[in-house]
């Protein structure tokens, strides 16, 4: 298996989504592509899982591993259908590996997906997009499999297939004492540089002697001093296992084949001490140094060939097993590769990073060769067979849909030739027939279908390709070749077909082809420009430019063409007289191009005969677009008006009314309002302003709207009624700039029909939300700097006097992580709140709708208080509110105050003697009060945390206990753990704690081991828990676990499981959408070279495994 381990499957979406100018058709997602000619399946990359794909393919091509996994049935592993049942022990990772291997073997698709497998790992989209080390993954995956297979017949699968032992021997040169140490391994790390092969690398790393001398002496236990010694590492095998390994390798036991000739196995080893080295207790044996491990070239060659034979035995190679193959498996792509190409790829700086070796003496059963179904459980065979049948049906349906072609048939008798193009006689819908046709059928079949559809047709029938242009319908070429299929003819979807006799329509002979396409041009005539002389005309593309004169009945003159400059602005270029006989297409004119015509004699203008920019000698005119927004008035929709910088706005308005053919009475009851790009109307422009004073740019859009235009001393204001962060429908008023805020407020209340006088005005900020209040009610609009076009918000509630704050007071009843509301003696919900009382509730905005997402806030009322008052004064005044009097709060010290941010508690206000001015409460302050059982006086170093003891075996927590943690002794994990242990009267070594992150539905354990530093390094100061990754703040929930009665590693609750499940479902939907888009675009971009994605930083890798002990 080769290919770049770090090359990702990246596909970009082609910009060429339109064909022949047709609209983009929504296409159903194609099913997964079938296997290619190699008949091998790849694995799709999830964004950064190339290392995972390589490891999975390697394990898949190891038959002993694959078939040992298949031998475990549902009675041992459970069933995926039961994974959500609370009491079911389902070993999800082995089951998902079985399904993936079965798909790689038998499912007819080009690439399998690992999404279900990585979900069983507990990975999120972050892990799937990060680079990781494949060797680290191999060890973690093997460990996860071992943990998952505990208690099954496959509990020793990894140990049986991949386990080995290395013995380290240190021999004292003085006394000859041998000290041995055994180490187990699943993989070995070797240095390949400057070595001739694998055996040479293994010898250098594990067998070659290491001498302890000079400054590196060894302490001998027998000599009890530092001595010179020699260290060796040897691959060892237990003597008791040697006979079984011999039986597995050659098929015969030692006693049956060799005992009669050589005696007992242990005696044979003792007699051949020059080859075999027994340990001191004769329990293990290894090869001595004098036994050469260097292989011959033939054996090395055979090992490589055997790997190729193994690959060829896997499903998908049509050649016989005697013809081995190498394959380059690079994520979803599987291609054959020659052996010399492999050597060339790995002979430079790039080398194989991880190699798997399989014993060349292992024999496969005859029934397993070329049989991919060998060893698969019956339920997986049934699942794969059903999936293949569903894929075939889906591909057949998709093939039929992909070959379905939507054609629009335009019936010739329903059209007439008008203004240079074909137009429907009646409506467009009555002239067009939609036909769905299979592109695999021939043109002759299409012609028969059209004859049957139009049974009334008489005479010849010609089918021609047509196209809807801005000028109308134009006919291009006739279709011929009845034996050709529509696919061979490259018939586009949504194609327009014109059905006619091939000669004329309505008695008018029709010109066809690209050369005579009708062009819709915008023609400006200077002689009539002051009357709004802009008209659109249609000309054939092959007509001479001079046809403009005859069409407009002008004897002679100059023609200017609008050219776009590099600066983005348009300029007019005069056409020389000799170019007037060239065609419109030769001059580069297209649909929508603008042409300006000047008579040979025109007042105030001169024309240069040279092809250069046109500069009028008079003050240069600009063009303003005026749209008719006087609903209910008939007339034109929009018109262009020529104006100069000194033109008065009222003249533009009067001219627009005339050009739009509106009633003259509107001149006294309309105004012009600039239109933003988004379509929003700005403030009306005073009639007395000039174009320059109104700051109207060339090409600006103006709306002719009902209403009288304001004067230069008036202010046009828009306002809306607001409630919190919500704003109502915008309304408008016009008033003099000397209008006071009080008078303006009164007029707005009258216009909106709002009763009462407890209202005030606020300005809007840059994002159109309520901002600064207009406190000076006697100040004029001019004095406050309010300009025409400003937007105000009408807010309920009278403004407090200067130096005072209006603070909304809320009652806060916290919930625990399992969603239970925490009751107290002052609980307004249960004791003090009548059914129709003053209470109002709010729900948390911006968080998922899950079990513990809502925060119960109950509105008590509003308090007007001086900015010089303290927090204690605020609590006392809040206790005087009607809704709070029934709660019988003993004193202000029994209330804990929080700011309200995004409709949930935010910052804790701890200093009761601090002035409200210094609390930074904001423009619209809101405070929530939390009841306490006893008085609380918090210091600057105190942190308020909610601690909850986990109930063993119930996945829930007991009642919360508020803990005030003094951080003066250090904000470290050890200090917090000690404080929690003191609260619950437990030994600190039996306490484990974790912080709850409700937005992620996760608990992060807080332990001091992660902050330890190696002894050799300088001791590092422990990180503060108020920084990453915990960000400990007031009000955080800390879960507590008593290790004496609860050994479960999990801190989560059922509510957390529900939240994570919803997050996984949302991530799965996004992943499937990305995979579908990637698969849909892969065919188009299969041969496109894409740049490699830059590596991301290495992050720790883990696999989540349930407990099966």
């Amino acid at each position: 298996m080769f290919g770049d381990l770090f090359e990702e499957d990246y596909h970009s979406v082609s910009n060429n989504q339109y064909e022949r100018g047709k609209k983009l058709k929504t296409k159903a997602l194609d099913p997964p592509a079938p296997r290619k000619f190699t008949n091998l399946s790849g694995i799709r990359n999830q964004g950064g899982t190339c290392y995972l794909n390589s490891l999975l393919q390697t394990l898949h091509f190891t038959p002993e591993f694959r078939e040992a996994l298949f031998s475990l049935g549902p009675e041992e592993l459970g069933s995926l259908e039961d994974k959500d049942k609370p009491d079911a022990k389902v070993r999800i990772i082995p089951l998902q590996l079985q399904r993936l291997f079965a798909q790689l073997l038998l499912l007819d698709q080009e690439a399998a997906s690992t999404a279900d497998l990585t979900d069983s790992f507990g990975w999120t989209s972050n892990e799937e997009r990060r680079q990781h080390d494949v060797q680290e993954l191999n060890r973690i995956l093997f460990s996860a499999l071992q943990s998952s297979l505990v208690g099954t017949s496959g509990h020793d699968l990894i140990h049986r297939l991949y386990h080995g032992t290395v013995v380290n021997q240190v021999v004292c040169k003085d006394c000859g004492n041998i000290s041995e140490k055994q180490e187990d391994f699943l993989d070995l790390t070797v240095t390949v540089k400057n070595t001739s092969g694998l055996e040479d690398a293994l010898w250098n790393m594990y067998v070659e002697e290491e001498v302890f001398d000079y400054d590196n002496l060894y302490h001998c236990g027998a000599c009890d001093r530092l001595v010179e010694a020699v260290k060796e590492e040897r691959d060892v095998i237990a003597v008791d296992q040697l006979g079984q390994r011999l039986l597995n390798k050659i098929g015969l036991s030692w006693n049956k084949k060799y005992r009669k000739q050589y005696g007992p196995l242990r005696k044979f080893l003792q007699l051949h001490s020059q080859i075999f080295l027994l340990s001191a207790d004769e329990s293990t044996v290894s090869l001595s140094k004098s036994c050469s491990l260097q292989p011959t070239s033939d054996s090395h060659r055979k090992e490589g060939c055997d790997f190729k034979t193994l690959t060829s035995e896997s499903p998908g190679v049509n050649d016989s097993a005697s013809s081995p193959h190498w394959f380059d498996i690079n994520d979803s792509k599987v291609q054959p590769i020659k052996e010399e190409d492999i050597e060339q790829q790995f002979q430079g700086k790039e080398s194989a990073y991880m190699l798997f070796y399989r014993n060349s003496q292992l024999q496969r059963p005859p029934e397993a060769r070329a049989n991919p179904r060998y060893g698969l459980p019956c339920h997986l065979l049934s699942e794969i067979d059903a999936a293949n049948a569903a894929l075939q049906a889906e591909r057949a349906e998709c093939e039929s849909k992909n070959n379905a072609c939507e054609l629009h048939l335009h019936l010739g008798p329903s059209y007439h030739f008008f203004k240079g193009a074909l137009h429907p006689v009646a409506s467009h819908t009555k002239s067009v027939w939609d036909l769905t046709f299979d592109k695999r059928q021939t043109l002759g079949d299409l012609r028969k279908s059209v004859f049957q559809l139009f049974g009334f047709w008489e005479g010849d029938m010609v089918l021609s390709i047509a196209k809807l242009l801005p000028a109308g319908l134009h006919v291009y070429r006739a279709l011929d070749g009845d034996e050709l299929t529509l696919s061979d003819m490259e018939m586009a979807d949504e194609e327009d077909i014109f059905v006619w006799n091939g000669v004329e329509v309505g008695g008018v002979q029709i010109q066809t082809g690209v050369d005579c396409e009708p062009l819709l041009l915008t023609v400006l005539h200077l002689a009539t420009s002051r009357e709004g002389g802009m008209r659109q005309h249609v000309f054939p593309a092959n007509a001479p430019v001079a046809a403009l004169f005859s069409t407009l009945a002008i004897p002679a003159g100059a023609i200017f063409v609008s050219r776009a400059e590099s600066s983005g602005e348009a300029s007019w270029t005069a056409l020389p007289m000799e170019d007037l006989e060239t065609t419109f297409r030769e001059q580069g004119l297209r649909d929508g191009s603008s042409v300006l015509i000047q008579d040979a004699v025109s007042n105030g203008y001169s024309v240069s005969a040279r092809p250069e920019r046109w500069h009028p000698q008079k003050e240069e005119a600009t063009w303003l677009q005026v749209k008719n927004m006087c609903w209910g008035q008939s007339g034109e929709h929009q018109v262009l008006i020529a104006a100069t910088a000194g033109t008065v706005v009222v003249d533009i308005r009067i001219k627009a009314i005339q050009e739009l053919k509106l009633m003259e009475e509107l001149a006294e009851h309309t105004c012009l309002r600039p239109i933003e790009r988004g379509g929003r109307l700005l403030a009306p422009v005073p009639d007395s302003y000039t174009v320059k004073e109104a700051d109207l740019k060339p090409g600006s859009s103006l709306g002719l709207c009902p209403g009288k235009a304001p004067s230069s001393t008036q202010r046009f204001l828009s306002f809306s009624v607001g409630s919190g962060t919500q704003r109502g429908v915008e309304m408008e008023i016009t008033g003099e700039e000397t209008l006071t805020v009080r008078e303006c407020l009164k007029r707005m209340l009258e216009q909106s029909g709002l009763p009462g006088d407890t209202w005030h005005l606020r300005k809007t900020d840059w994002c159109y939300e309520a901002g600064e209040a207009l406190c000076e009610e006697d100040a004029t609009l001019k004095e406050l700097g309010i300009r025409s076009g400003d937007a105000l918000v009408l807010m309920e509630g009278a403004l407090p006097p200067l130096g005072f704050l209006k603070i909304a007071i809320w009652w806060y009843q916290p919930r625990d992580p399992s969603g239970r509301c925490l009751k107290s003696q002052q609980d307004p919900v249960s004791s003090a709140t009548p059914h129709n009382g003053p209470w109002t509730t709010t729900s948390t905005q911006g968080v998922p709708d899950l079990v513990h997402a809502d925060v119960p806030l109950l509105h008590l009322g509003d308090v007007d208080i001086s900015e010089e008052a303290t927090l204690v004064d605020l609590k006392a005044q809040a206790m005087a509110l009607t809704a709070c009097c029934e709660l019988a709060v003993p004193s202000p010290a029994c209330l804990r105050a929080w700011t309200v941010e995004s409709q949930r508690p935010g910052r804790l206000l701890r200093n009761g003697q601090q002035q409200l001015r210094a609390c930074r409460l904001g423009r619209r302050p809101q405070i929530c009060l939390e009841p306490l059982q006893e008085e609380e006086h918090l210091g600057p170093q105190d942190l308020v945390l909610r601690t909850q003891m986990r109930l063993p075996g119930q996945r829930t927590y007991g009642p919360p206990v508020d803990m005030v943690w003094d951080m003066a002794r250090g904000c470290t994990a050890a200090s917090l753990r000690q404080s929690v242990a003191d609260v619950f009267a437990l030994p600190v070594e039996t306490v484990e704690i974790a912080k709850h992150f409700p937005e992620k539905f996760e608990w992060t354990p807080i332990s001091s081991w992660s902050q330890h530093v190696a002894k050799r390094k300088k001791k590092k100061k422990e990180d503060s828990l108020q920084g990453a990754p915990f960000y400990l703040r007031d009000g955080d929930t800390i879960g507590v676990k008593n290790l004496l009665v609860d050994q479960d590693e999990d801190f989560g609750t059922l509510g957390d499981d529900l939240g994570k499940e919803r997050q996984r479902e949302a991530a799965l939907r996004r992943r499937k959408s990305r995979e579908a888009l990637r698969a849909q675009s892969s065919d188009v971009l299969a041969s496109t070279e894409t740049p490699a994605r830059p590596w991301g930083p290495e992050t720790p890798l883990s696999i989540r495994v349930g407990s099966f002990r």
Side-chain angles (χ1 to χ4, degrees):
M1 264 147 278
F2 290 94
D4 194 341
L5 278 179
F6 305 102
E7 180 101 10
E8 313 294 355
D9 280 348
Y10 290 108
H11 303 292
S12 56
V13 180
S14 172
N15 293 326
N16 187 18
Q17 297 285 357
Y18 296 87
E19 186 178 9
R20 298 192 187 181
K22 299 298 175 183
K23 64 180 181 181
L24 179 65
K25 180 182 178 181
T26 303
K27 182 180 179 181
L29 296 178
D30 292 340
R35 301 191 181 207
K36 302 299 183 182
F37 69 96
T38 62
N39 204 20
L40 293 175
S41 175
I43 300 178
R44 284 194 290 275
N45 196 314
Q46 296 190 52
T49 56
C50 47
Y51 65 100
L52 172 66
N53 296 349
S54 299
L55 178 61
L56 292 175
Q57 287 282 20
T58 305
L59 297 177
H60 163 242
F61 280 107
T62 306
E64 288 74 24
F65 179 86
R66 183 182 70 229
E67 290 162 9
L69 200 61
F70 284 151
S71 66
L72 304 174
E75 63 279 358
E76 292 188 278
L77 301 181
S79 176
L80 289 175
E81 288 76 11
D82 301 331
K83 65 178 181 179
D84 295 327
K85 295 181 180 179
D87 298 331
K89 284 193 174 183
V90 181
R91 307 169 194 265
I92 301 179
I93 294 178
L95 287 172
Q96 293 293 1
L97 268 178
Q98 283 185 344
R99 292 184 72 247
L100 177 63
F101 286 170
Q103 292 173 5
L104 292 173
L105 286 170
L106 296 174
L107 191 60
D108 185 20
Q109 61 179 4
E110 183 181 16
S113 172
T114 57
D116 292 336
L117 179 62
T118 54
D119 284 346
S120 71
F121 291 169
W123 290 4
T124 63
S125 57
N126 292 331
E127 282 86 1
E128 293 157 2
R129 292 192 180 95
R130 290 175 179 167
Q131 298 288 354
H132 290 287
D133 183 78
V134 68
Q135 185 183 16
E136 178 191 10
L137 172 68
N138 179 59
R139 293 175 178 175
I140 293 175
L141 178 59
F142 279 4
S143 175
L145 278 175
Q146 280 185 318
S147 301
S148 298
L149 297 178
V150 170
T152 70
S153 58
H155 64 92
D156 61 342
L157 184 149
I158 302 299
H159 188 276
R160 189 172 69 248
L161 294 180
Y162 296 100
H163 177 265
T165 306
V166 172
V167 174
N168 296 319
Q169 290 185 344
V170 180
V171 182
C172 176
K173 287 188 175 183
D174 289 354
C175 67
N177 179 61
I178 300 176
S179 175
E180 290 187 353
K181 180 182 178 182
Q182 295 189 12
E183 295 180 356
D184 297 333
F185 69 86
L186 295 178
D187 56 65
L188 295 173
T189 301
V190 296
T191 302
V192 298
K193 187 176 182 180
N194 300 325
T195 58
S196 60
L198 177 65
E199 288 78 7
D200 190 16
L202 287 171
W203 181 274
N204 295 338
M205 184 68 70
Y206 297 102
V207 182
E208 191 172 26
E209 293 182 348
E210 178 183 356
V211 180
F212 296 94
D213 54 8
Y214 302 108
D215 295 334
N216 188 26
L217 296 175
Y218 170 73
H219 184 272
C220 176
C223 301
D224 196 19
R225 59 188 176 86
L226 295 176
V227 298
E228 293 185 354
V230 176
K231 178 183 177 182
E232 298 177 349
E233 296 185 6
R234 302 186 183 277
D235 295 313
V236 300
I237 300 175
V239 175
D240 296 339
Q241 299 178 5
L242 191 58
Q244 182 63 37
R245 293 202 178 190
L246 182 65
L247 176 63
N248 294 338
K249 184 171 184 178
I250 66 175
L252 294 173
S253 66
W254 173 271
N255 292 336
K256 182 174 292 187
K257 186 173 176 103
Y258 301 108
R259 183 181 177 90
K260 185 176 181 180
Q261 182 178 359
Y262 299 105
L265 176 59
R266 192 179 300 272
K267 183 178 179 181
F268 176 81
L269 298 176
Q270 294 171 348
L271 293 175
H272 296 80
S273 58
Q274 74 278 11
I275 299 176
F276 303 105
L277 182 62
L278 285 167
S279 62
D281 58 357
E282 296 188 351
S283 62
T284 60
V285 62
S286 61
L287 292 176
S288 67
K289 180 180 176 181
S290 58
C291 178
S292 174
L293 293 177
Q294 298 301 323
T296 64
S297 58
D298 292 339
S299 64
H300 180 71
R301 191 74 176 169
K302 184 176 181 181
E303 186 178 19
C305 180
D306 179 73
F307 183 83
K308 294 188 289 185
T309 303
L310 168 65
T311 308
S312 66
E313 290 175 3
S314 61
V317 180
N318 298 325
D319 298 344
S320 63
S322 61
S323 177
H325 295 277
W326 284 100
F327 289 94
D328 180 5
I329 303 180
N330 187 2
D331 287 335
S332 58
K333 298 178 182 178
V334 182
Q335 296 175 337
I337 186 171
K338 297 180 181 179
E339 191 164 336
E340 54 267 26
D341 294 335
I342 299 175
E343 295 174 354
Q344 182 179 1
Q345 180 175 353
F346 291 102
Q347 69 182 358
K349 294 182 179 180
E350 182 180 359
S351 64
Y353 177 64
M354 189 174 182
L355 297 175
F356 278 73
Y357 282 83
R358 179 173 175 265
N359 193 333
S360 61
Q361 301 300 322
L362 291 176
Q363 298 294 325
R364 304 279 288 125
E367 62 272 18
R369 297 181 63 83
N371 179 16
R373 303 174 72 88
Y374 177 77
L376 259 74
C378 296
H379 70 281
L380 282 179
L381 287 173
S382 302
E383 179 182 339
I384 297 299
D385 291 342
N388 279 327
L391 277 175
Q392 290 181 2
E394 190 177 353
R395 286 174 185 141
E397 181 182 359
C398 183
E399 184 73 14
S400 176
K401 288 183 179 180
N402 290 341
N403 283 290
C405 183
E406 293 288 339
L407 301 177
H408 305 301
L409 304 179
H410 300 261
L411 196 58
S414 301
Y415 279 79
H416 66 135
F417 191 79
F418 176 69
K419 291 185 177 180
L422 292 169
H423 297 271
V425 176
S427 64
H428 179 77
T429 55
K430 294 182 180 180
S431 306
V432 180
W433 297 64
D434 293 333
L435 176 65
T436 302
F437 203 73
D438 195 330
K439 290 193 289 186
R440 292 171 291 187
Q441 292 185 306
T442 63
L443 177 62
D445 298 330
L446 175 62
R447 202 181 302 275
K448 291 179 182 178
S449 299
V450 175
F451 264 116
Q452 294 174 1
L453 184 62
F454 304 122
F456 54 85
W457 190 272
E458 296 181 358
D460 296 335
M461 175 182 285
V462 176
L463 303 180
S464 300
I465 298 294
K467 187 176 180 180
L468 286 171
L469 302 175
L473 187 69
H474 181 66
V475 180
Y476 287 87
R477 59 181 178 86
L479 298 175
D480 53 3
D482 286 1
E483 71 284 356
L484 298 176
T485 65
L486 299 190
S487 181
D488 295 336
M489 301 177 67
E490 299 181 354
M491 182 73 70
D493 198 19
E494 302 284 344
E495 192 74 87
D496 292 296
I497 305 295
F498 193 63
V499 185
W500 62 318
N501 58 14
V503 179
E504 52 83 24
V505 173
V508 179
Q509 188 171 355
I510 303 300
Q511 293 183 346
T512 62
V514 178
D515 294 339
C516 56
E517 273 184 346
L519 300 179
L520 184 63
L521 304 179
T522 300
V523 181
L524 307 174
H525 187 201
L526 285 180
T528 59
S529 64
R530 294 185 177 273
E531 291 77 27
M534 180 195 74
R535 296 290 182 268
Q536 290 183 327
H537 295 272
V538 178
F539 297 92
N542 57 359
V545 178
L548 286 165
F549 295 132
S550 58
T551 302
L552 299 178
I554 300 173
I559 297 178
F560 298 84
V561 178
S562 178
R563 308 285 189 191
E565 295 184 339
S566 59
S567 61
E569 299 181 356
S571 63
W572 295 98
T573 303
L575 293 181
M577 298 299 295
E578 58 270 18
D579 287 349
L580 295 182
E581 297 302 322
T582 59
T583 65
F584 289 100
R585 173 151 294 160
E586 290 172 345
Q587 288 298 326
L589 297 178
R590 302 183 301 273
D591 283 310
S593 296
S594 298
V595 178
L596 187 144
I597 300 178
Q598 182 184 9
D599 294 345
V601 178
S602 180
N603 274 340
Y605 294 92
S606 64
V607 179
S608 172
R610 293 177 297 172
E612 57 186 11
R613 289 189 62 179
W614 171 63
H615 297 277
Q617 293 178 348
K618 282 190 175 183
E619 186 178 16
E620 186 169 355
T622 59
W623 297 90
L624 302 175
Q625 187 180 45
V626 181
K627 294 184 179 181
N628 179 11
M629 306 189 75
C630 296
W631 310 119
Q633 296 291 330
S634 59
E636 300 290 337
H637 180 63
Q638 63 183 21
V639 67
L640 284 181
I641 302 297
T644 64
T647 304
V648 183
V649 172
V650 65
D651 295 337
I652 299 175
R653 184 163 59 86
I654 298 300
K655 189 179 297 183
I657 292 174
Q658 295 173 355
E659 291 296 324
L660 291 170
K661 301 178 182 178
L662 302 176
M663 295 186 301
E664 296 181 359
E665 291 80 2
L666 291 176
E668 299 296 328
H669 305 286
T670 55
C671 60
L672 291 178
R673 300 181 63 174
I675 304 175
E676 282 187 333
R677 289 186 177 182
R680 183 172 178 267
L681 288 173
L682 301 181
V685 182
D687 280 347
S688 59
Y689 279 16
T690 63
V691 171
K692 183 177 181 180
E693 291 171 342
D695 196 23
L696 297 177
K697 306 298 182 183
S700 296
S701 294
L702 301 172
L704 184 65
C705 304
K708 191 173 182 180
S711 65
S712 59
T713 61
Q714 289 180 323
R715 297 290 187 265
F716 178 87
L717 304 176
S718 61
F719 71 95
S720 59
V721 180
S723 174
T725 58
Q726 304 292 329
R727 293 183 58 195
V729 180
E730 280 197 353
M731 292 172 278
E732 299 162 346
I733 65 168
T734 303
E736 295 291 334
E737 60 184 13
T738 57
L739 201 67
T740 64
V741 173
R742 181 180 286 105
E743 294 169 343
C744 184
L745 175 61
K746 182 179 179 180
R747 288 187 53 184
M748 290 181 178
L749 289 173
E750 292 175 353
Q751 184 169 335
S752 56
L754 295 174
D757 55 357
T758 57
W759 297 84
H760 66 277
L761 288 176
R762 291 182 180 269
K763 293 182 179 180
T764 55
D765 54 19
W766 62 273
C767 55
Y768 294 99
E769 292 184 355
E772 180 185 355
L774 301 181
C775 301
E776 302 178 30
E777 294 188 343
D778 293 328
T780 64
L781 300 179
K782 183 178 181 180
E783 292 171 348
L784 294 176
I786 296 178
R787 299 173 299 176
S788 190
D790 284 352
L792 302 177
V793 181
L794 192 60
M795 301 290 293
E796 188 173 7
L799 283 174
L802 289 177
F804 279 74
L805 294 173
K806 190 179 190 66
I807 302 178
I809 305 298
W810 299 82
W811 188 267
Y812 172 42
Q813 199 70 33
R815 295 180 184 268
D816 64 13
S818 60
R820 299 190 304 266
C821 188
L822 308 181
K823 304 292 183 181
S824 68
Q825 292 179 357
Q826 295 87 15
D827 185 2
V829 179
S830 60
S831 61
T833 307
H835 182 68
N836 296 319
W839 299 100
T840 58
T841 62
T842 181
S843 60
T844 304
Q845 302 292 327
V847 298
D849 185 17
L850 297 170
V851 175
H852 50 274
D854 54 334
V855 176
L857 290 181
L858 306 171
H859 187 234
L860 298 177
D862 296 335
V863 169
D864 291 336
I865 190 169
S866 172
E867 293 180 342
E868 306 295 332
T870 63
L871 183 60
V872 173
D873 299 332
L874 173 63
K875 293 179 182 179
Q877 195 164 341
M879 291 170 58
L881 292 173
T882 304
C884 195
C885 289
E886 303 175 3
L887 301 177
V889 180
S891 68
C894 291
L895 291 175
R896 186 180 291 158
W898 305 79
T899 62
V900 178
E901 300 172 4
S902 300
Q903 299 190 16
R904 64 185 307 156
R907 179 165 48 91
L908 177 62
L909 304 177
R910 61 184 70 248
N911 186 356
Q913 300 305 318
Q914 187 178 24
Q915 290 185 346
L916 298 180
R917 184 194 306 275
C919 290
R920 305 190 309 274
L921 299 179
R923 294 176 178 175
R924 289 178 290 167
Q926 299 185 72
I927 299 295
C928 63
L929 301 176
E930 178 186 354
L932 301 175
Q933 298 292 338
E934 57 186 17
E935 291 188 358
E936 180 180 74
H937 302 280
L938 298 175
Q941 294 294 323
D942 291 337
L943 195 67
V944 177
L945 302 174
R946 307 191 190 280
T947 59
Q948 290 186 269
M949 176 64 70
R950 182 175 174 85
L951 302 180
Q954 299 185 28
R955 302 204 68 206
T956 187
Y957 288 84
V961 177
D962 282 1
M963 183 186 78
V964 178
W965 178 34
D966 185 4
M967 297 184 295
R969 293 174 293 179
C971 186
T972 62
S975 175
L976 176 60
R977 195 174 175 188
Q978 182 64 58
S979 299
V980 172
D982 294 342
V983 170
F984 289 95
L986 292 172
V988 67
E989 62 271 9
T990 65
V991 171
E992 188 173 355
I993 58 177
K995 179 191 170 180
H996 187 227
F997 289 88
E999 66 280 357
K1000 298 180 180 179
F1001 307 99
E1002 291 180 353
W1003 295 80
T1004 302
I1006 302 176
S1007 57
S1008 55
W1009 69 266
S1010 60
Q1011 298 176 347
H1012 288 170
V1013 185
K1015 295 181 180 179
R1016 298 182 216 173
K1017 298 182 180 178
K1018 185 178 179 180
K1019 186 174 180 181
K1020 177 183 176 183
K1021 184 179 179 181
E1022 291 188 1
D1023 295 331
S1024 171
L1025 294 181
Q1026 290 186 305
F1030 299 105
Y1031 301 103
L1032 211 58
R1033 298 292 184 267
D1034 288 305
D1036 284 347
T1037 299
I1038 302 296
V1040 185
K1041 189 185 299 182
N1042 185 356
L1043 298 179
L1044 294 177
V1045 295
D1046 190 356
Q1047 296 292 333
D1048 190 2
E1049 297 180 357
D1050 183 26
F1051 273 89
T1053 65
L1054 295 177
D1056 294 321
D1057 293 344
L1058 177 61
K1060 287 183 179 180
E1061 183 62 29
R1062 293 187 181 178
Q1063 285 184 341
R1064 280 195 293 269
E1065 290 176 358
L1068 180 60
R1069 288 192 295 269
R1070 292 192 296 268
R1071 184 186 303 115
K1072 287 183 177 179
S1073 177
R1074 291 194 303 268
E1075 288 181 356
L1077 180 61
R1078 190 181 299 120
Q1080 187 176 13
S1081 60
S1082 61
D1083 293 338
V1084 181
L1085 303 170
S1087 60
T1088 304
E1089 293 290 338
T1090 56
R1093 182 180 180 179
W1095 291 10
E1098 288 285 345
T1099 54
L1101 184 65
S1102 63
I1103 294 178
R1104 184 184 60 191
V1105 184
S1107 177
F1108 300 103
R1109 297 185 182 275

